[in-house]
Amino acid sequence: MIVVAGSSSTDLAQEIAENLQCDFIKADTQKFPDGECYSRVNALTLNDDVIIVQNTYPDENLIEMLLIEDAVRGLGAKSVTLVIPYFGYARQDKIFKLGEPESAKVISKCLAMGCDRVVTIDIHKEDTLKHFGLPYKDLKAAEAIAEYFRDKNIDIVFAPDIGAKARARSVGERLGVPYDYLEKIRISGTDVRIKPVNLDCTGKNILIVDDMISTGGTIVTATRQLKEAGAKSVMVACTHGIFVNNTLDRLEGSNLDAVLSANTIASKVSKISVAKIIARSLKEW
Ligand code: R5P
């Protein structure tokens, strides 16, 4: 096995290679003067099972992934596995309004042309991966999140909406604490409302777990609600810290007590590593 890192995921790819005790190459990716992507995998041959680690977000990373797939094929890869820590476009997984594309399907089909199997972490909906028409696995970051918070005195784990309930259960059970979900009503892209909480939060240390933080609207509203319900502290952990624009600064300046994310998207708060989970799954496959 050999791990090839795209530029979105160098540190994570290196950590995966260390866990697999295999070689690691970072693709040399640059921009042509006109802004087009140039990528090169600097090896004489790659007669091996190749693991490419790269996000498909933002768009330039998607292009880089497509180019690296072709480059490793050209170098003779025996098989190509894509590890896509954060799968961009996964949220547009159906036609919400007439005339829209199924973006997640389009991206999956493009990527499938250059690989043999695919691994994602907490993809928005696992069914999206069926569009690859190839073997796939969607791994969960819950184990790594629970491990990180094991000694942080968490009393209750919350999901910010019913869709994330299984994640709250998975983390809550691992920590041996109660878990629940909040009822979220999305008014617009940035405006969300949350119904009052049922569990008694008075004096409790709360952990909110979510698959992603984008604008932070969900988390800010959930935190306000939990603090109003008497919570002593509210920390949040997500798998994918997208943090558009100045969201991270805004969250750090809010009444949240801590913001953490997994390292599917690198940032100053991506301290929860999913490398072991990915390496273990690749070994078992
Ligand atoms: C929603 O389905 C997701 O689980 C997240 O709660 C949501 O995408 C977060 O977005 P934002 O940070 O913009 O509220």
Side-chain angles (χ1 to χ4, degrees):
M1 251 184 222
I2 183 158
V3 173
V4 174
S7 53
S8 72
S9 308
T10 312
D11 292 347
L12 175 58
Q14 188 159 14
E15 224 188 301
I16 293 169
E18 280 163 14
N19 275 276
L20 290 170
Q21 296 181 308
C22 73
D23 286 337
F24 160 83
I25 305 179
K26 182 182 176 335
D28 172 19
T29 300
Q30 296 170 32
K31 284 261 167 76
F32 283 110
D34 61 3
E36 287 182 352
C37 180
Y38 167 89
S39 203
R40 176 165 183 252
V41 179
N42 192 1
L44 293 176
T45 173
L46 273 184
N47 183 21
D48 208 335
D49 295 310
V50 176
I51 318 288
I52 305 174
V53 187
Q54 168 76 346
N55 288 335
T56 61
Y57 168 89
D59 291 358
E60 58 190 31
N61 285 333
L62 170 62
I63 302 293
E64 185 184 343
M65 171 71 106
L66 291 165
L67 300 183
I68 295 174
E69 281 184 296
D70 193 62
V72 301
R73 285 277 185 221
L75 286 167
K78 281 202 280 201
S79 71
V80 178
T81 301
L82 302 189
V83 173
I84 310 176
Y86 176 60
F87 191 110
Y89 289 97
R91 283 180 288 179
Q92 180 77 29
D93 60 342
K94 62 180 180 189
I95 297 169
F96 296 93
K97 286 188 202 149
L98 187 67
E100 289 178 348
E102 283 181 68
S103 309
K105 180 182 78 180
V106 175
I107 304 300
S108 301
K109 285 183 177 288
C110 291
L111 291 168
M113 289 190 294
C115 68
D116 301 291
R117 52 188 195 172
V118 59
V119 176
T120 54
I121 317 289
D122 285 332
I123 191 169
H124 184 61
K125 287 208 186 102
E126 198 169 322
D127 269 3
T128 294
L129 298 175
K130 288 187 181 154
H131 295 300
F132 275 82
L134 298 169
Y136 66 81
K137 283 185 186 178
D138 180 54
L139 308 176
K140 312 294 173 200
E143 178 190 333
I145 292 173
E147 199 49 46
Y148 185 90
F149 282 92
R150 192 160 297 287
D151 57 356
K152 308 271 188 305
N153 299 318
I154 300 299
D155 298 309
I156 309 176
V157 176
F158 272 102
D161 57 45
I162 191 166
K165 193 180 159 192
R167 187 170 299 109
R169 185 178 65 225
S170 187
V171 175
E173 283 179 351
R174 284 182 159 90
L175 292 177
V177 302
Y179 53 88
D180 202 353
Y181 67 93
L182 300 163
E183 274 189 68
K184 176 169 97 173
I185 308 151
R186 186 172 277 285
I187 311 293
S188 69
T190 48
D191 188 14
V192 292
R193 307 228 171 117
I194 285 180
K195 280 197 180 171
V197 189
N198 293 323
L199 272 180
D200 181 10
C201 297
T202 316
K204 299 284 195 317
N205 298 314
I206 309 283
L207 172 64
I208 307 175
V209 289
D210 206 355
D211 58 345
M212 66 179 76
I213 299 176
S214 181
T215 65
T218 304
I219 291 306
V220 166
T221 311
T223 303
R224 192 186 316 123
Q225 197 70 47
L226 290 163
K227 290 256 166 142
E228 278 170 15
K232 180 176 159 198
S233 72
V234 178
M235 297 192 259
V236 59
C238 67
T239 305
H240 310 297
I242 302 171
F243 305 128
V244 296
N245 302 325
N246 63 345
T247 293
L248 192 48
D249 293 338
R250 214 160 36 81
L251 290 178
E252 288 186 325
S254 75
N255 57 353
L256 255 174
D257 295 276
V259 184
L260 275 308
S261 87
N263 56 350
T264 59
I265 300 176
S267 75
K268 62 177 176 177
V269 298
S270 58
K271 295 179 182 161
I272 302 172
S273 180
V274 287
K276 266 190 212 159
I277 294 172
I278 296 170
R280 188 176 62 213
S281 161
L282 290 169
K283 266 187 213 160
E284 286 166 358
W285 213 341

